[in-house]
């Protein structure tokens, strides 16, 4: 208990967690990197935890990360994680929304919800067709030379065709 004459008392700053608002609309291949930066920046700002949030979210973008790895949410992140999941799902469209909803359905069958980090990981994986990780320049080359509209749905068949041409007839990847 604090006493008025206690000179050692220092008030502690408390973080205040806000709603995750302002996530940009569903990105296309050309705007994905900018979208990812916006999600990180907004999330760090509203979480009230700054760098801790950046570290916590960066696991979603790690090489080989899978959505199921983020099914367990630590109690201190529970509220923010749920807000993040809701905000990201609100901007998803098309095939990526279908994939995230499939993951959500599977989680609900197990009596759980799909976490925000699992949702974010699924989005990041959606921009790595068939597990490939493109550099920005490589992605722009593919985007500029073979995709007719600004959608992930148009990019996926094109990358599948490239994969079919690149994989030897033996089927080995």
């Amino acid at each position: 208990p604090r006493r008025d004459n206690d000179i050692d008392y220092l008030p502690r700053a408390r973080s205040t967690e806000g709603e995750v608002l302002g996530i940009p609309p569903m990105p296309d291949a050309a705007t994905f990197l900018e979208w990812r930066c916006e999600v990180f920046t907004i999330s760090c700002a509203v979480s009230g935890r700054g760098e801790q949030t950046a570290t916590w979210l960066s696991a979603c973008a790690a090489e080989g990360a899978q959505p199921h790895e983020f099914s367990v949410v630590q109690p201190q992140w529970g509220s923010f994680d749920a807000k993040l999941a809701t905000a990201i799902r609100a901007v998803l469209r098309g095939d990526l929304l279908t994939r995230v909803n499939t993951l959500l359905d599977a989680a609900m069958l197990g009596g759980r919800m799909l976490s925000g980090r699992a949702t974010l990981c699924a989005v990041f994986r959606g921009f790595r067709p068939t597990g490939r990780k493109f550099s920005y320049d490589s992605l722009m080359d593919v985007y500029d030379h073979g995709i007719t509209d600004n959608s992930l749905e148009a990019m996926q068949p094109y990358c599948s065709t490239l994969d079919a041409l690149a994989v030897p007839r033996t089927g080995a990847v």
Side-chain angles (χ1 to χ4, degrees):
R2 181 182 171 264
R3 287 179 263 165
D4 290 332
N5 61 356
D6 191 354
I7 59 172
D8 293 330
Y9 171 75
L10 292 173
R12 292 187 340 190
R14 291 188 173 193
S15 62
T16 303
E17 182 180 294
E19 295 297 318
V20 182
L21 301 173
I23 290 185
M26 176 74 182
D28 56 38
T31 61
F32 173 69
L33 294 176
E34 182 180 331
W35 182 88
R36 184 180 68 181
C37 289
E38 283 291 314
V39 170
F40 267 68
T41 303
I42 290 167
S43 298
C44 289
V46 301
S47 71
R49 298 178 187 126
E51 290 295 319
Q52 283 181 307
T53 304
T55 301
W56 184 73
L57 289 175
S58 66
C60 304
E63 189 74 31
Q66 298 286 331
H68 68 83
E69 296 170 3
F70 305 103
S71 59
V72 176
V73 179
Q74 297 170 329
Q76 69 266 29
W77 291 101
S79 172
F80 180 72
D81 189 80
K83 291 174 184 178
L84 180 64
T86 301
I88 292 171
R89 283 191 65 243
V91 300
L92 296 181
R93 301 285 180 262
D95 185 52
L96 197 49
L97 177 61
T98 302
R99 280 188 265 155
V100 167
N101 282 341
T102 301
L103 292 171
L104 177 60
D105 289 342
M108 288 171 49
L109 286 174
R112 301 180 332 272
M113 289 300 295
L114 187 63
S115 74
R117 289 199 307 169
T119 304
L120 189 59
C121 182
V123 172
F124 289 167
R125 288 189 55 77
F127 283 90
R128 292 183 195 151
T130 62
R132 288 185 175 178
K133 182 177 179 184
F134 293 110
S135 70
Y136 180 76
D137 291 335
S138 298
L139 184 58
M140 286 308 297
D141 287 344
V142 171
Y143 181 76
D144 288 341
H145 295 293
I147 298 176
T148 56
D149 69 27
N150 292 340
S151 70
L152 182 59
E153 291 81 13
M155 187 174 112
Q156 290 172 334
Y158 183 76
C159 288
S160 294
T161 303
L162 289 178
D163 288 340
L165 295 172
V167 174
R169 295 289 175 193
T170 62
V173 177

